Amino acid sequence: MNIKLLEKYTLQTFDTREQLIGILTYLGQLYGEDEPNQMKLPKIFTKQIIANYMGASRQHISRLCKQLEMEGVFEKDEHRFILNKKEIAHV
């Protein structure tokens, strides 16, 4: 439990963009569907849940999500996050 808490606090030292990518990657590894080029998170992980976990506003997370979608880091499909593994490897 202490390790998970330490990981969360360490992640909070990064800027919000890196935090979001890190959290989505972490959740994808724990709960997602792992495919060769993508990692799909369950629909339960909404922007509001991610924002609460990060201590950020949902509006801020929404803006970041739009930016990351345009950069190709992930895509939204049926209200779920789909991470592009090739793009998150660069972050």
Coordinates of all heavy atoms in Angstrom, one line a residue:
M1 N 0.8 -1.2 0.0 CA 0.0 0.0 0.0 C 0.9 1.3 0.0 O 0.6 2.2 -0.7 CB -0.9 0.0 1.2 CG -1.7 1.3 1.2 SD -3.3 1.2 2.1 CE -4.4 0.3 1.2
N2 N 2.0 1.2 0.8 CA 2.8 2.4 0.8 C 3.5 2.7 -0.6 O 3.7 3.8 -0.9 CB 3.9 2.2 1.9 CG 3.4 2.3 3.3 OD1 2.4 3.0 3.5 ND2 4.1 1.7 4.2
I3 N 3.8 1.6 -1.3 CA 4.4 1.8 -2.6 C 3.4 2.5 -3.5 O 3.8 3.4 -4.3 CB 4.8 0.4 -3.2 CG1 6.0 -0.1 -2.4 CG2 5.2 0.5 -4.6 CD1 6.4 -1.5 -2.7
K4 N 2.2 2.1 -3.5 CA 1.2 2.7 -4.4 C 1.0 4.2 -4.0 O 0.9 5.0 -4.9 CB -0.2 2.0 -4.3 CG -0.1 0.6 -4.9 CD -1.5 0.0 -5.0 CE -1.4 -1.4 -5.4 NZ -1.7 -1.7 -6.8
L5 N 1.0 4.5 -2.7 CA 0.9 5.9 -2.3 C 2.1 6.7 -2.7 O 1.9 7.8 -3.2 CB 0.7 5.9 -0.8 CG 0.3 7.2 -0.1 CD1 -1.0 7.7 -0.7 CD2 0.1 7.1 1.4
L6 N 3.2 6.1 -2.6 CA 4.5 6.8 -3.0 C 4.5 7.1 -4.5 O 4.8 8.1 -5.0 CB 5.7 6.0 -2.6 CG 7.0 6.6 -2.9 CD1 7.2 7.9 -2.2 CD2 8.1 5.6 -2.5
E7 N 4.0 6.1 -5.3 CA 3.9 6.3 -6.8 C 2.9 7.4 -7.1 O 3.2 8.2 -8.0 CB 3.4 5.0 -7.4 CG 4.4 3.9 -7.5 CD 3.8 2.6 -8.0 OE1 2.6 2.5 -8.2 OE2 4.6 1.6 -8.1
K8 N 1.8 7.5 -6.4 CA 0.8 8.6 -6.6 C 1.5 9.9 -6.3 O 1.4 10.9 -7.1 CB -0.4 8.4 -5.8 CG -1.5 9.5 -6.1 CD -2.7 9.2 -5.3 CE -3.7 10.4 -5.6 NZ -4.9 10.3 -4.8
Y9 N 2.2 10.0 -5.2 CA 2.8 11.3 -4.8 C 3.9 11.7 -5.8 O 4.1 12.8 -6.1 CB 3.3 11.3 -3.4 CG 2.2 11.4 -2.3 CD1 2.1 10.4 -1.3 CD2 1.2 12.3 -2.4 CE1 1.1 10.5 -0.4 CE2 0.2 12.4 -1.5 CZ 0.2 11.5 -0.5 OH -0.8 11.6 0.5
T10 N 4.7 10.7 -6.2 CA 5.7 11.0 -7.2 C 5.1 11.5 -8.5 O 5.6 12.4 -9.1 CB 6.5 9.7 -7.5 OG1 7.1 9.3 -6.2 CG2 7.6 10.0 -8.5
L11 N 4.0 10.9 -8.9 CA 3.4 11.3 -10.1 C 2.9 12.7 -10.1 O 2.9 13.5 -11.0 CB 2.2 10.3 -10.5 CG 1.6 10.4 -11.8 CD1 2.6 10.2 -12.9 CD2 0.4 9.4 -11.9
Q12 N 2.5 13.2 -8.9 CA 2.0 14.5 -8.7 C 3.1 15.6 -8.8 O 2.8 16.8 -8.9 CB 1.3 14.6 -7.3 CG 0.0 13.9 -7.3 CD -0.7 13.9 -5.9 OE1 0.0 14.2 -4.9 NE2 -1.9 13.7 -5.9
T13 N 4.3 15.2 -8.9 CA 5.4 16.2 -9.1 C 5.5 16.5 -10.6 O 6.2 17.5 -10.9 CB 6.8 15.6 -8.6 OG1 7.1 14.5 -9.3 CG2 6.7 15.3 -7.1
F14 N 4.9 15.7 -11.5 CA 5.0 16.0 -12.9 C 3.9 17.1 -13.3 O 3.0 17.3 -12.5 CB 4.7 14.8 -13.7 CG 5.7 13.7 -13.5 CD1 5.2 12.4 -13.3 CD2 7.0 13.9 -13.4 CE1 6.1 11.3 -13.1 CE2 7.9 12.9 -13.2 CZ 7.5 11.6 -13.1
D15 N 4.0 17.7 -14.5 CA 3.0 18.6 -14.9 C 1.7 17.8 -15.2 O 1.7 16.6 -15.3 CB 3.4 19.4 -16.1 CG 3.6 18.7 -17.4 OD1 3.0 17.6 -17.5 OD2 4.2 19.2 -18.3
T16 N 0.6 18.5 -15.3 CA -0.7 17.9 -15.4 C -0.8 17.0 -16.6 O -1.4 15.9 -16.6 CB -1.8 18.9 -15.4 OG1 -1.6 19.9 -14.4 CG2 -3.2 18.3 -15.2
R17 N -0.2 17.4 -17.7 CA -0.2 16.6 -19.0 C 0.4 15.2 -18.7 O -0.1 14.2 -19.0 CB 0.5 17.3 -20.1 CG 0.5 16.6 -21.4 CD 1.3 17.4 -22.4 NE 1.3 16.8 -23.7 CZ 2.1 15.8 -24.1 NH1 2.9 15.3 -23.2 NH2 2.0 15.3 -25.3
E18 N 1.6 15.2 -18.1 CA 2.3 14.0 -17.8 C 1.6 13.2 -16.8 O 1.6 11.9 -16.9 CB 3.8 14.3 -17.4 CG 4.6 14.9 -18.5 CD 6.0 15.3 -18.0 OE1 6.1 15.6 -16.8 OE2 6.9 15.4 -18.9
Q19 N 1.0 13.8 -15.8 CA 0.2 13.1 -14.8 C -0.9 12.3 -15.5 O -1.2 11.2 -15.1 CB -0.4 14.1 -13.8 CG 0.6 14.6 -12.8 CD -0.2 15.5 -11.8 OE1 -1.3 15.2 -11.4 NE2 0.4 16.6 -11.4
L20 N -1.7 13.0 -16.3 CA -2.8 12.4 -17.0 C -2.4 11.2 -17.8 O -3.0 10.1 -17.7 CB -3.5 13.4 -17.9 CG -4.7 12.9 -18.7 CD1 -5.8 12.3 -17.7 CD2 -5.3 13.9 -19.6
I21 N -1.3 11.3 -18.6 CA -0.8 10.2 -19.4 C -0.4 9.1 -18.5 O -0.7 7.9 -18.7 CB 0.3 10.6 -20.3 CG1 -0.2 11.6 -21.4 CG2 1.0 9.4 -21.0 CD1 0.8 12.3 -22.2
G22 N 0.3 9.4 -17.4 CA 0.8 8.4 -16.4 C -0.3 7.7 -15.8 O -0.2 6.4 -15.6
I23 N -1.3 8.4 -15.3 CA -2.4 7.8 -14.7 C -3.2 6.9 -15.6 O -3.6 5.7 -15.3 CB -3.3 8.8 -14.0 CG1 -2.6 9.4 -12.8 CG2 -4.7 8.3 -13.6 CD1 -3.3 10.6 -12.2
L24 N -3.5 7.4 -16.8 CA -4.2 6.5 -17.8 C -3.4 5.3 -18.1 O -4.0 4.2 -18.3 CB -4.5 7.3 -19.1 CG -5.5 8.5 -18.9 CD1 -5.6 9.3 -20.2 CD2 -6.9 8.0 -18.4
T25 N -2.1 5.4 -18.3 CA -1.2 4.3 -18.6 C -1.3 3.3 -17.4 O -1.4 2.0 -17.6 CB 0.2 4.7 -18.8 OG1 0.2 5.6 -19.9 CG2 1.1 3.5 -19.2
Y26 N -1.2 3.8 -16.2 CA -1.2 2.9 -15.0 C -2.5 2.2 -14.9 O -2.6 1.0 -14.7 CB -1.0 3.8 -13.8 CG -1.0 3.1 -12.5 CD1 0.0 2.2 -12.1 CD2 -2.1 3.3 -11.6 CE1 -0.1 1.5 -10.9 CE2 -2.2 2.6 -10.4 CZ -1.2 1.7 -10.0 OH -1.3 1.0 -8.8
L27 N -3.6 2.9 -15.1 CA -5.0 2.3 -15.0 C -5.1 1.3 -16.1 O -5.8 0.2 -15.9 CB -6.1 3.3 -15.0 CG -6.1 4.2 -13.8 CD1 -7.1 5.4 -14.0 CD2 -6.5 3.4 -12.5
G28 N -4.6 1.6 -17.3 CA -4.7 0.7 -18.4 C -4.0 -0.6 -18.1 O -4.4 -1.7 -18.5
Q29 N -2.8 -0.5 -17.5 CA -2.0 -1.7 -17.2 C -2.7 -2.6 -16.1 O -2.7 -3.8 -16.2 CB -0.6 -1.3 -16.6 CG 0.2 -0.8 -17.7 CD 1.5 -0.1 -17.2 OE1 1.6 0.1 -16.0 NE2 2.5 0.1 -18.1
L30 N -3.4 -1.9 -15.2 CA -4.1 -2.7 -14.1 C -5.4 -3.3 -14.6 O -5.7 -4.4 -14.2 CB -4.4 -1.8 -12.9 CG -3.2 -1.4 -12.0 CD1 -3.6 -0.4 -10.9 CD2 -2.5 -2.6 -11.4
Y31 N -6.2 -2.5 -15.3 CA -7.6 -2.8 -15.5 C -8.0 -2.9 -17.0 O -9.1 -3.3 -17.3 CB -8.6 -1.8 -14.9 CG -8.3 -1.6 -13.4 CD1 -7.7 -0.5 -12.9 CD2 -8.6 -2.7 -12.5 CE1 -7.5 -0.3 -11.6 CE2 -8.3 -2.5 -11.2 CZ -7.8 -1.3 -10.7 OH -7.5 -1.2 -9.3
G32 N -7.1 -2.5 -17.9 CA -7.5 -2.3 -19.3 C -7.3 -3.6 -20.1 O -6.8 -4.6 -19.6
E33 N -7.7 -3.5 -21.3 CA -7.6 -4.6 -22.3 C -6.3 -4.2 -23.1 O -6.2 -3.2 -23.7 CB -8.7 -4.6 -23.3 CG -10.1 -4.8 -22.7 CD -11.2 -4.6 -23.7 OE1 -11.0 -4.8 -24.9 OE2 -12.3 -4.3 -23.2
D34 N -5.3 -5.1 -23.0 CA -4.0 -4.9 -23.6 C -4.0 -5.5 -25.0 O -4.2 -6.7 -25.2 CB -2.9 -5.5 -22.8 CG -1.5 -5.0 -23.2 OD1 -1.4 -4.0 -23.9 OD2 -0.6 -5.7 -22.8
E35 N -3.9 -4.7 -26.0 CA -3.8 -5.2 -27.4 C -2.4 -4.8 -28.0 O -1.7 -4.0 -27.4 CB -4.9 -4.5 -28.2 CG -6.3 -4.9 -27.8 CD -7.4 -4.4 -28.6 OE1 -7.2 -3.6 -29.6 OE2 -8.6 -4.6 -28.3
P36 N -2.0 -5.3 -29.1 CA -0.7 -5.0 -29.6 C -0.3 -3.6 -29.8 O 0.8 -3.1 -29.4 CB -0.7 -5.7 -31.0 CG -1.7 -6.8 -30.9 CD -2.8 -6.3 -30.0
N37 N -1.3 -2.7 -30.3 CA -0.9 -1.3 -30.5 C -1.7 -0.4 -29.6 O -1.5 0.8 -29.6 CB -1.2 -0.9 -31.9 CG -0.4 -1.7 -32.9 OD1 0.8 -1.8 -32.6 ND2 -0.9 -2.1 -34.0
Q38 N -2.7 -0.9 -28.8 CA -3.5 -0.1 -28.0 C -3.7 -0.7 -26.6 O -3.6 -1.9 -26.4 CB -4.9 0.1 -28.6 CG -4.8 0.8 -30.0 CD -6.2 0.9 -30.6 OE1 -7.1 0.1 -30.4 NE2 -6.5 2.0 -31.3
M39 N -4.1 0.2 -25.7 CA -4.5 -0.2 -24.4 C -5.9 0.4 -24.1 O -6.0 1.7 -24.2 CB -3.5 0.2 -23.3 CG -3.7 -0.4 -22.0 SD -2.5 0.2 -20.8 CE -1.0 0.0 -21.7
K40 N -6.9 -0.3 -23.9 CA -8.3 0.2 -23.7 C -8.7 0.1 -22.3 O -8.7 -0.9 -21.7 CB -9.3 -0.6 -24.6 CG -9.0 -0.5 -26.1 CD -10.0 -1.4 -26.8 CE -9.7 -1.3 -28.3 NZ -10.7 -2.0 -29.1
L41 N -9.0 1.3 -21.7 CA -9.5 1.4 -20.3 C -11.0 1.1 -20.3 O -11.7 1.4 -21.2 CB -9.3 2.8 -19.8 CG -7.9 3.0 -19.2 CD1 -6.8 3.1 -20.2 CD2 -7.9 4.3 -18.3
P42 N -11.5 0.5 -19.2 CA -12.9 0.3 -19.0 C -13.7 1.6 -19.0 O -13.1 2.6 -18.6 CB -13.0 -0.4 -17.6 CG -11.6 -1.0 -17.4 CD -10.7 0.0 -18.1
K43 N -14.9 1.5 -19.4 CA -15.8 2.7 -19.5 C -15.9 3.4 -18.1 O -16.3 4.6 -18.0 CB -17.1 2.4 -20.0 CG -17.1 2.0 -21.5 CD -18.5 1.7 -22.0 CE -18.4 1.2 -23.4 NZ -19.7 0.9 -24.0
I44 N -15.7 2.7 -17.0 CA -15.9 3.2 -15.7 C -15.0 4.4 -15.4 O -15.3 5.3 -14.6 CB -15.8 2.1 -14.6 CG1 -16.2 2.6 -13.2 CG2 -14.4 1.6 -14.5 CD1 -17.7 2.7 -13.1
F45 N -13.9 4.5 -16.1 CA -12.9 5.6 -15.8 C -13.3 6.8 -16.7 O -12.8 6.9 -17.8 CB -11.5 5.1 -16.1 CG -11.0 4.0 -15.2 CD1 -10.8 2.7 -15.6 CD2 -10.8 4.4 -13.8 CE1 -10.4 1.8 -14.7 CE2 -10.4 3.4 -12.9 CZ -10.2 2.1 -13.4
T46 N -14.1 7.6 -16.1 CA -14.6 8.8 -16.8 C -13.6 10.0 -16.5 O -12.7 9.9 -15.6 CB -16.0 9.2 -16.2 OG1 -15.9 9.5 -14.8 CG2 -17.0 8.1 -16.4
K47 N -13.8 11.1 -17.2 CA -13.0 12.2 -17.0 C -13.2 12.7 -15.6 O -12.2 13.2 -14.9 CB -13.4 13.3 -18.0 CG -12.9 13.0 -19.4 CD -13.4 14.2 -20.3 CE -13.0 13.8 -21.8 NZ -13.6 14.8 -22.7
Q48 N -14.4 12.6 -15.0 CA -14.6 13.1 -13.7 C -13.9 12.3 -12.6 O -13.3 12.8 -11.7 CB -16.1 13.1 -13.3 CG -16.5 13.7 -12.0 CD -16.1 15.1 -11.9 OE1 -16.6 15.9 -12.6 NE2 -15.3 15.5 -10.9
I49 N -13.8 11.0 -12.8 CA -13.1 10.1 -11.9 C -11.6 10.4 -12.0 O -10.9 10.5 -11.0 CB -13.4 8.6 -12.2 CG1 -14.9 8.3 -11.8 CG2 -12.4 7.7 -11.5 CD1 -15.4 6.9 -12.1
I50 N -11.1 10.5 -13.2 CA -9.7 10.8 -13.4 C -9.4 12.2 -12.7 O -8.3 12.3 -12.0 CB -9.3 10.8 -14.9 CG1 -9.6 9.5 -15.5 CG2 -7.8 11.2 -15.1 CD1 -8.8 8.3 -15.0
A51 N -10.2 13.2 -12.9 CA -10.0 14.5 -12.4 C -10.0 14.4 -10.8 O -9.1 15.0 -10.2 CB -11.1 15.5 -12.8
N52 N -10.9 13.7 -10.3 CA -10.9 13.6 -8.8 C -9.7 12.9 -8.3 O -9.1 13.3 -7.3 CB -12.1 12.7 -8.4 CG -13.5 13.4 -8.6 OD1 -13.5 14.6 -8.8 ND2 -14.5 12.7 -8.5
Y53 N -9.2 11.9 -9.0 CA -8.0 11.2 -8.6 C -6.8 12.1 -8.6 O -5.9 12.1 -7.8 CB -7.8 10.0 -9.5 CG -6.6 9.1 -9.1 CD1 -6.7 8.2 -8.0 CD2 -5.4 9.2 -9.7 CE1 -5.6 7.4 -7.6 CE2 -4.3 8.4 -9.4 CZ -4.4 7.6 -8.3 OH -3.3 6.8 -8.0
M54 N -6.7 13.0 -9.6 CA -5.6 13.9 -9.8 C -5.7 15.1 -9.0 O -4.8 15.9 -8.9 CB -5.5 14.3 -11.3 CG -5.0 13.1 -12.2 SD -5.0 13.6 -14.0 CE -3.9 15.0 -13.9
G55 N -6.9 15.4 -8.5 CA -7.1 16.7 -7.7 C -7.2 17.8 -8.7 O -6.8 19.0 -8.3
A56 N -7.7 17.6 -9.9 CA -7.9 18.7 -10.9 C -9.4 18.8 -11.2 O -10.2 18.0 -10.9 CB -7.1 18.3 -12.1
S57 N -9.7 19.9 -11.9 CA -11.1 20.1 -12.3 C -11.4 19.2 -13.6 O -10.5 18.9 -14.4 CB -11.4 21.5 -12.6 OG -10.8 21.9 -13.8
R58 N -12.7 18.8 -13.7 CA -13.0 18.1 -14.9 C -12.8 18.9 -16.2 O -12.4 18.4 -17.2 CB -14.5 17.6 -14.8 CG -14.9 16.6 -15.9 CD -16.4 16.4 -16.0 NE -17.2 17.6 -16.2 CZ -17.2 18.3 -17.3 NH1 -16.6 18.0 -18.4 NH2 -18.0 19.4 -17.4
Q59 N -13.1 20.2 -16.1 CA -12.9 21.1 -17.2 C -11.4 21.1 -17.7 O -11.1 21.0 -18.9 CB -13.3 22.5 -16.9 CG -14.8 22.6 -16.7 CD -15.2 22.3 -15.3 OE1 -14.4 22.0 -14.4 NE2 -16.5 22.3 -15.1
H60 N -10.5 21.1 -16.7 CA -9.1 21.1 -17.1 C -8.7 19.8 -17.7 O -8.0 19.7 -18.7 CB -8.2 21.3 -15.8 CG -6.8 21.4 -16.1 ND1 -6.2 22.4 -16.8 CD2 -5.7 20.6 -15.7 CE1 -4.9 22.2 -16.9 NE2 -4.6 21.1 -16.2
I61 N -9.2 18.7 -17.2 CA -8.9 17.4 -17.8 C -9.5 17.3 -19.2 O -8.9 16.7 -20.1 CB -9.5 16.2 -16.8 CG1 -8.7 16.3 -15.5 CG2 -9.3 14.9 -17.5 CD1 -7.2 16.2 -15.5
S62 N -10.7 17.8 -19.4 CA -11.3 17.8 -20.7 C -10.5 18.5 -21.7 O -10.3 18.1 -22.8 CB -12.7 18.4 -20.6 OG -13.6 17.6 -19.9
R63 N -9.9 19.7 -21.3 CA -9.1 20.4 -22.2 C -7.8 19.6 -22.6 O -7.4 19.6 -23.7 CB -8.7 21.8 -21.6 CG -9.8 22.8 -21.7 CD -9.3 24.2 -21.3 NE -8.8 24.3 -20.0 CZ -9.5 24.6 -18.9 NH1 -10.8 24.8 -19.0 NH2 -8.9 24.6 -17.7
L64 N -7.2 19.0 -21.5 CA -6.0 18.2 -21.8 C -6.4 17.0 -22.7 O -5.6 16.6 -23.5 CB -5.5 17.7 -20.4 CG -4.6 18.6 -19.7 CD1 -4.2 18.0 -18.3 CD2 -3.3 18.9 -20.4
C65 N -7.5 16.4 -22.5 CA -7.9 15.3 -23.3 C -8.0 15.6 -24.7 O -7.6 14.9 -25.6 CB -9.2 14.7 -22.8 SG -9.1 13.7 -21.2
K66 N -8.6 16.8 -25.0 CA -8.7 17.3 -26.4 C -7.4 17.5 -27.0 O -7.1 17.1 -28.2 CB -9.6 18.5 -26.5 CG -11.0 18.3 -26.3 CD -11.8 19.6 -26.3 CE -13.2 19.4 -26.0 NZ -14.0 20.6 -26.0
Q67 N -6.5 18.1 -26.2 CA -5.1 18.3 -26.7 C -4.4 16.9 -27.0 O -3.8 16.8 -28.1 CB -4.3 19.1 -25.7 CG -2.9 19.3 -26.1 CD -2.1 19.9 -25.0 OE1 -2.6 20.2 -23.9 NE2 -0.8 20.1 -25.2
L68 N -4.5 16.0 -26.1 CA -3.9 14.7 -26.3 C -4.5 13.9 -27.4 O -3.8 13.1 -28.1 CB -3.9 13.9 -25.0 CG -3.0 14.5 -23.8 CD1 -3.3 13.7 -22.5 CD2 -1.6 14.5 -24.2
E69 N -5.8 14.0 -27.6 CA -6.4 13.4 -28.7 C -5.9 13.9 -30.1 O -5.6 13.2 -31.0 CB -8.0 13.6 -28.7 CG -8.7 12.7 -27.7 CD -10.1 13.0 -27.7 OE1 -10.8 12.6 -28.6 OE2 -10.6 13.6 -26.7
M70 N -5.7 15.3 -30.1 CA -5.2 15.9 -31.3 C -3.7 15.4 -31.6 O -3.3 15.3 -32.7 CB -5.3 17.4 -31.2 CG -6.7 17.9 -31.3 SD -6.9 19.7 -31.1 CE -5.5 20.4 -31.7
E71 N -3.0 15.2 -30.5 CA -1.6 14.7 -30.7 C -1.5 13.2 -31.0 O -0.4 12.7 -31.2 CB -0.8 15.0 -29.4 CG -0.7 16.5 -29.1 CD 0.0 16.8 -27.8 OE1 0.5 15.9 -27.1 OE2 -0.1 18.0 -27.3
G72 N -2.6 12.5 -30.9 CA -2.6 11.1 -31.2 C -2.2 10.2 -30.0 O -2.0 9.0 -30.2
V73 N -2.1 10.8 -28.8 CA -1.7 10.0 -27.6 C -2.8 9.0 -27.3 O -2.5 7.8 -27.0 CB -1.4 10.9 -26.4 CG1 -1.2 10.1 -25.2 CG2 -0.2 11.8 -26.7
F74 N -4.0 9.4 -27.4 CA -5.2 8.5 -27.2 C -6.4 8.9 -28.0 O -6.4 10.0 -28.6 CB -5.5 8.3 -25.7 CG -6.1 9.5 -25.1 CD1 -7.4 9.8 -25.2 CD2 -5.3 10.3 -24.3 CE1 -8.0 10.9 -24.5 CE2 -5.8 11.4 -23.6 CZ -7.2 11.7 -23.8
E75 N -7.3 8.1 -28.0 CA -8.6 8.5 -28.7 C -9.7 8.0 -27.8 O -9.6 7.2 -26.9 CB -8.7 7.8 -30.0 CG -8.5 6.3 -30.0 CD -8.3 5.6 -31.4 OE1 -7.2 5.8 -31.9 OE2 -9.3 5.0 -31.8
K76 N -10.9 8.7 -28.0 CA -12.1 8.3 -27.2 C -13.0 7.6 -28.1 O -13.2 8.0 -29.3 CB -12.7 9.6 -26.7 CG -12.0 10.3 -25.7 CD -12.4 10.2 -24.2 CE -13.9 10.3 -24.0 NZ -14.3 9.9 -22.7
D77 N -13.5 6.5 -27.6 CA -14.4 5.7 -28.4 C -15.5 5.2 -27.5 O -15.2 4.5 -26.5 CB -13.7 4.5 -29.1 CG -14.6 3.7 -29.9 OD1 -15.6 4.2 -30.5 OD2 -14.4 2.4 -29.9
E78 N -16.7 5.6 -27.7 CA -17.8 5.1 -26.8 C -17.5 5.5 -25.3 O -17.7 4.6 -24.5 CB -18.1 3.6 -27.0 CG -18.5 3.3 -28.4 CD -18.7 1.8 -28.5 OE1 -19.1 1.1 -27.5 OE2 -18.6 1.3 -29.7
H79 N -17.0 6.6 -25.1 CA -16.8 7.1 -23.7 C -15.7 6.3 -23.0 O -15.8 6.2 -21.8 CB -18.1 7.2 -22.9 CG -19.1 8.0 -23.6 ND1 -19.1 9.4 -23.7 CD2 -20.3 7.6 -24.2 CE1 -20.1 9.8 -24.3 NE2 -20.9 8.8 -24.7
R80 N -14.8 5.8 -23.7 CA -13.7 5.1 -23.0 C -12.3 5.6 -23.6 O -12.3 6.0 -24.8 CB -13.8 3.6 -23.1 CG -13.6 3.1 -24.5 CD -14.0 1.6 -24.6 NE -13.1 0.7 -23.9 CZ -13.1 -0.6 -24.0 NH1 -14.0 -1.2 -24.8 NH2 -12.3 -1.3 -23.4
F81 N -11.3 5.5 -22.8 CA -10.0 6.0 -23.3 C -9.3 4.8 -24.0 O -9.3 3.7 -23.5 CB -9.1 6.4 -22.1 CG -9.6 7.7 -21.4 CD1 -10.4 7.6 -20.3 CD2 -9.3 8.9 -22.0 CE1 -10.8 8.7 -19.7 CE2 -9.7 10.1 -21.4 CZ -10.5 10.0 -20.2
I82 N -8.7 5.1 -25.1 CA -7.9 4.1 -25.9 C -6.5 4.7 -26.1 O -6.4 5.7 -26.8 CB -8.6 3.7 -27.2 CG1 -10.0 3.2 -27.0 CG2 -7.7 2.7 -28.0 CD1 -10.8 2.9 -28.3
L83 N -5.6 4.2 -25.4 CA -4.2 4.7 -25.5 C -3.5 4.1 -26.6 O -3.5 2.9 -26.8 CB -3.4 4.4 -24.2 CG -4.1 4.9 -22.9 CD1 -3.4 4.4 -21.7 CD2 -4.0 6.4 -22.9
N84 N -2.8 4.9 -27.4 CA -1.9 4.4 -28.4 C -0.5 4.1 -27.9 O 0.2 5.1 -27.5 CB -1.8 5.4 -29.6 CG -3.2 5.6 -30.2 OD1 -3.9 4.6 -30.5 ND2 -3.6 6.8 -30.5
K85 N -0.2 2.9 -27.8 CA 1.1 2.5 -27.1 C 2.3 3.2 -27.7 O 3.2 3.6 -27.0 CB 1.3 1.0 -27.1 CG 0.3 0.2 -26.2 CD 0.7 -1.2 -26.3 CE -0.2 -2.0 -25.3 NZ 0.1 -3.5 -25.4
K86 N 2.3 3.3 -29.0 CA 3.5 3.9 -29.7 C 3.7 5.4 -29.2 O 4.8 5.8 -29.0 CB 3.3 3.9 -31.2 CG 4.5 4.4 -32.0 CD 4.3 4.1 -33.4 CE 3.6 5.3 -34.1 NZ 3.5 5.2 -35.6
E87 N 2.6 6.1 -29.0 CA 2.6 7.5 -28.6 C 3.0 7.6 -27.1 O 3.7 8.5 -26.7 CB 1.3 8.2 -28.9 CG 1.0 8.3 -30.4 CD 2.1 9.1 -31.1 OE1 2.6 10.1 -30.5 OE2 2.4 8.7 -32.2
I88 N 2.4 6.8 -26.2 CA 2.7 6.9 -24.8 C 4.1 6.5 -24.5 O 4.7 6.8 -23.4 CB 1.7 6.2 -23.9 CG1 1.6 4.7 -24.2 CG2 0.3 6.8 -24.0 CD1 0.8 3.9 -23.2
A89 N 4.8 5.7 -25.3 CA 6.1 5.3 -25.1 C 7.1 6.5 -25.2 O 8.1 6.5 -24.6 CB 6.5 4.2 -26.1
H90 N 6.7 7.5 -25.9 CA 7.5 8.7 -26.1 C 7.4 9.7 -24.9 O 8.2 10.6 -24.8 CB 7.2 9.5 -27.3 CG 7.4 8.7 -28.6 ND1 6.4 8.4 -29.4 CD2 8.5 8.1 -29.1 CE1 6.9 7.6 -30.4 NE2 8.2 7.5 -30.2
V91 N 6.4 9.5 -24.0 CA 6.2 10.4 -22.9 C 6.9 9.9 -21.7 O 7.2 8.9 -21.4 CB 4.7 10.5 -22.7 CG1 4.4 11.4 -21.5 CG2 4.0 11.0 -23.9

